[in-house]
Amino acid sequence: MRHHEEENEEETMKVKVRFFAQFGELLGTDIIVEPASGTVLSGLIKEIAQRNKDGYNAIFDEKDTFREFVILMRNGKRVDTIDAVTTNVVDDDEIAVFPPVAGG
Amino acid sequence: MITIQHDDVDIGKLITDAKQRGMGAIVVFDGIVRDDDIREMELEAYQEVALKELEQIAADATKKYNLFSVDIIHRIGRLKVSENILIIIVGAGHRKEAYEGSRYIIETIKAGVPIWKKELRKDGDRWVPGEHPQGTGKFN
């Protein structure tokens, strides 16, 4: 029964991942995913980015780590890419992934 | 007025509306699309976050430079050469604060607010690289 409940929790978790600028062109702009409980930020982004080779290579280097210019946000707050490997995503999170800004 | 929008604004009206008793200077910054051999420019924003950050920048500038008023209008969408991209109107008691406040606002926007520009060029499109490689503006 407990196992069943856990499964239900996993099924209901929804996270929105938003890619901007060139990342959005390569990977899509607003992606809704249902990650398993315990999924970390970096793993989630990697999984989505693998849908498009150019998109993946734009964000990750040959060692599968974030390129140094990549900026991450979780619910509107910046997250250091180093911390993305230990940051769990939770239900209703909005994750943003983007290159250096160029407004103004 | 702090806003991110497609439409242009009437700068003259904004100046008129900004004026208030005790104000001695208004500085207007108008960033426009430069003709770098482009057809048009397309601007994209992470709108909800960018707007909050613009509001925070305006609040910080007001406090830091003792400003009377701050208006920031950042446009998005497709813009032609010479169209307005970013309008910053700063009112203060004296020119020094007005100039410094305006400069602080534009530089802080460029450092970190999540907005991007793509040049639509005759020889292909190009995303404009940011001046601050790691988005050094910290607001959170």
Side-chain angles (χ1 to χ4, degrees):
Chain A
M1 175 64 89
R2 190 175 166 197
H3 180 66
H4 181 69
E5 282 171 0
E6 282 174 2
E7 276 185 353
N8 278 347
E9 277 177 25
E10 287 180 12
E11 282 169 12
T12 56
M13 185 159 126
K14 277 195 169 62
V15 172
K16 186 194 269 191
V17 181
R18 302 180 70 177
F19 294 97
F20 289 94
Q22 52 267 57
F23 297 169
E25 286 183 336
L26 293 165
L27 293 164
T29 50
D30 287 27
I31 297 167
I32 307 289
V33 287
E34 297 185 10
S37 177
T39 300
V40 294
L41 195 47
S42 59
L44 179 68
I45 296 165
K46 242 175 231 182
E47 194 182 320
I48 297 169
Q50 275 164 348
R51 296 172 185 180
N52 177 296
K53 194 181 171 205
D54 289 339
Y56 187 89
N57 291 335
I59 295 171
F60 296 100
D61 62 19
E62 58 284 351
K63 291 176 182 168
D64 296 321
T65 55
F66 284 104
R67 294 190 182 278
E68 62 175 356
F69 55 79
V70 173
I71 302 167
L72 303 179
M73 276 190 173
R74 180 173 176 237
N75 302 324
K77 296 182 189 303
R78 283 170 173 74
V79 176
D80 197 308
T81 50
I82 293 165
D83 298 329
V85 294
T86 53
T87 304
N88 284 332
V89 292
V90 298
D91 192 27
D92 275 340
D93 267 355
E94 179 170 301
I95 310 301
V97 188
F98 51 83
V101 303
Chain B
M1 180 200 291
I2 313 286
T3 179
I4 295 169
Q5 61 184 49
H6 283 82
D7 295 337
D8 203 1
V9 287
D10 180 345
I11 295 175
K13 185 175 185 312
L14 286 171
I15 293 170
T16 302
D17 292 347
K19 287 179 182 174
Q20 53 185 277
R21 210 174 166 81
M23 197 179 272
I26 292 177
V27 166
V28 178
F29 172 87
D30 184 11
I32 62 174
V33 179
R34 188 172 48 241
D35 185 5
D36 286 336
D37 203 24
I38 63 170
R39 289 181 289 116
E40 282 179 305
M41 186 167 272
E42 190 167 298
L43 286 104
E44 178 185 337
Y46 184 4
Q47 214 160 331
E48 311 90 296
V49 172
L51 183 61
K52 279 184 191 161
E53 294 192 354
L54 291 181
E55 287 168 347
Q56 186 62 54
I57 291 166
D60 291 347
T62 299
K63 194 173 172 189
K64 193 174 165 77
Y65 298 100
N66 200 24
L67 304 178
F68 284 34
S69 71
V70 174
D71 294 289
I72 305 172
I73 296 94
H74 205 306
R75 295 182 67 200
I76 51 173
R78 284 204 177 192
L79 302 177
K80 293 183 171 59
V81 169
S82 296
E83 278 202 80
N84 300 324
I85 301 173
L86 170 63
I87 298 142
I88 302 168
I89 298 175
V90 170
H94 301 89
R95 69 185 184 285
K96 186 173 187 291
E97 295 93 320
Y99 272 121
E100 287 178 353
S102 177
R103 185 68 192 259
Y104 170 85
I105 291 167
I106 179 62
E107 298 303 338
T108 313
I109 289 172
K110 282 196 162 289
V113 177
I115 299 174
W116 302 269
K117 292 193 200 95
K118 185 163 75 170
E119 293 175 343
L120 309 180
R121 306 176 70 87
K122 289 156 194 163
D123 57 352
D125 301 342
R126 184 187 84 110
W127 286 97
V128 176
E131 292 178 13
H132 299 262
Q134 293 184 53
T136 50
K138 300 285 183 190
F139 302 100
N140 299 299

